[in-house]
Amino acid sequence: MNYWLFKSEPFKFSLDDLKKKGKKGEQWDGVRNYAARNNMRAMQVGDLGFFYHSNEGLNVVGIVEVCALAHPDTTTDDPRWECVDIRYVRDMPSPPTLADIKANPNLSEMALVRLGRLSVQPVTPEEWQEVCRMGGLVPAP
């Protein structure tokens, strides 16, 4: 299993919006960055990810699961852009903030700290465990 982080501005699409989609989930569309697209191409069904609210909140608010492999993004006719589908798994009991994550020396190499603007990021198993611990999910899913 691999781990990921999906960033969204909550006024555009929040964790609560994803919850409303149910088990079917929702496509993670609109990504127009090659590194983020390539990250989605590497995903497998069942991979888990953090749902991160950017701009408002700046925190990891929940856990999501990849429920469909990379496929053409239906929001564009440009074949270069693909997306995966994700679905809600659970809320983060105590959402760690970006400031908390940056202050944690165990997370100094995390993509969220180093590559702040990337909308879809890889997360190492060690980072996954640490952020889950910070958020009150022990053991981590």
Side-chain angles (χ1 to χ4, degrees):
M1 175 180 305
N2 294 307
Y3 301 103
W4 309 94
L5 183 139
F6 297 86
K7 292 175 77 172
S8 182
E9 297 171 343
F11 69 90
K12 289 184 181 176
F13 191 78
S14 69
L15 185 64
D16 286 338
D17 294 327
L18 184 61
K19 285 181 194 180
K20 293 174 187 170
K21 300 295 180 176
K23 288 190 181 261
K24 182 183 111 193
E26 180 73 5
Q27 71 175 6
W28 197 256
D29 58 30
V31 174
R32 301 296 181 265
N33 174 286
Y34 287 107
R37 182 214 50 200
N38 291 344
N39 286 334
M40 288 190 287
R41 285 181 172 176
M43 293 177 185
Q44 297 297 313
V45 170
D47 283 357
L48 295 177
F50 292 126
F51 196 104
Y52 178 85
H53 279 170
S54 62
N55 291 338
E56 295 172 25
L58 299 175
N59 54 0
V60 175
V61 294
I63 306 290
V64 299
E65 177 184 31
V66 176
C67 59
L69 296 175
H71 57 83
D73 183 333
T74 62
T75 64
T76 181
D77 292 331
D78 188 333
R80 292 178 296 171
W81 304 116
E82 298 176 5
C83 62
V84 295
D85 293 6
I86 63 171
R87 66 176 155 228
Y88 169 80
V89 173
R90 65 166 300 155
D91 287 349
M92 185 67 74
S94 300
T97 66
L98 179 59
D100 295 335
I101 291 168
K102 285 183 172 183
N104 185 326
N106 295 327
L107 300 173
S108 63
E109 294 301 312
M110 189 174 184
L112 183 62
V113 173
R114 294 182 305 103
L115 307 169
R117 296 190 52 83
L118 189 59
S119 61
V120 180
Q121 308 173 357
V123 174
T124 69
E126 297 79 17
E127 293 164 347
W128 180 264
Q129 293 291 327
E130 184 66 8
V131 173
C132 285
R133 183 196 64 74
M134 292 171 69
L137 288 179
V138 180

